[in-house]
Amino acid sequence: MKKLYSIDKASVSDIKGITKLRVALLKEVDEIQTKEEEAKIISATKNYLETEIPNHNFVSYIAKNDEEVVSVSGVSFFKRPPYLENLQGVEAYILNMYTLPNHRSQGLARQLLEKCIEECKKRNVKRIWLHASKDGEPLYKSMGFSSKGSEMELFL
């Protein structure tokens, strides 16, 4: 039986769930080794999200199964000096894409990524970029991202 999920734009009330999945992601890619590192990441992430979600500099889409956040995405928006491919300089960085292992292969990451791209289009972002895990690369390629060195990018 297929599980039921809701997909929503995250709010400040979702910070605990977003942080939980961010920690799970960082542990999975071996970027958190100790309880002390985990505590630092939890505190810093919470502080960042409490500021950046209300300021709209960071947008997250989440998938919930009942009330549990089981999949997450994030987009950080910024403006850099213009260059030929992006004369407005508006860019977005996708990060924090993660789905709990027992909820994978349900299309959640694709749905969340689509929401992130829609948000970027609404904000007139010209370039979206990210660093992909080996497991994530096929999804990003299927959505039009191309590899450029250690990162992947999509021009809108």
Side-chain angles (χ1 to χ4, degrees):
M1 185 170 121
K2 192 166 181 161
K3 296 176 182 171
L4 299 177
Y5 299 97
S6 61
I7 307 282
D8 294 296
K9 191 179 211 176
S11 68
V12 172
S13 65
D14 297 305
I15 288 175
K16 187 175 181 179
I18 296 168
T19 302
K20 177 184 170 190
L21 267 65
R22 178 164 171 73
V23 167
L25 166 64
L26 294 174
K27 284 181 173 179
E28 194 170 299
V29 297
D30 292 323
E31 288 191 26
I32 293 178
Q33 305 294 322
T34 67
K35 287 287 183 195
E36 293 80 21
E37 290 174 346
E38 182 176 338
K40 286 178 184 177
I41 287 292
I42 289 170
S43 176
T45 299
K46 181 178 175 280
N47 290 339
Y48 172 82
L49 294 174
E50 285 174 345
T51 301
E52 299 306 324
I53 288 176
N55 288 342
H56 309 289
N57 294 326
F58 179 83
V59 171
S60 178
Y61 288 93
I62 56 174
K64 290 183 179 177
N65 180 240
D66 294 320
E67 291 302 309
E68 180 188 15
V69 176
V70 298
S71 189
V72 67
S73 65
V75 185
S76 188
F77 297 93
F78 61 97
K79 192 166 185 175
R80 61 180 279 183
Y83 53 99
L84 285 177
E85 293 91 355
N86 187 357
L87 293 174
Q88 276 61 288
V90 180
E91 294 194 353
Y93 181 71
I94 300 219
L95 68 157
N96 215 44
M97 294 285 300
Y98 186 75
T99 302
L100 292 174
N102 58 336
H103 294 275
R104 292 179 182 165
S105 300
Q106 303 292 315
L108 297 174
R110 177 175 295 279
Q111 290 178 66
L112 296 178
L113 183 58
E114 287 170 349
K115 293 279 189 188
C116 291
I117 293 170
E118 286 173 27
E119 184 76 28
C120 290
K121 288 177 180 177
K122 285 182 204 169
R123 293 175 180 235
N124 296 314
V125 168
K126 179 66 178 167
R127 178 181 180 246
I128 305 170
W129 59 287
L130 55 86
H131 288 90
S133 67
K134 191 173 125 181
D135 291 339
E137 271 187 46
L139 169 64
Y140 301 124
K141 284 183 180 176
S142 76
M143 299 288 292
F145 284 81
S146 58
S147 295
K148 182 179 180 184
S150 65
E151 56 190 48
M152 296 183 81
E153 66 182 4
L154 174 68
F155 282 91
L156 300 177

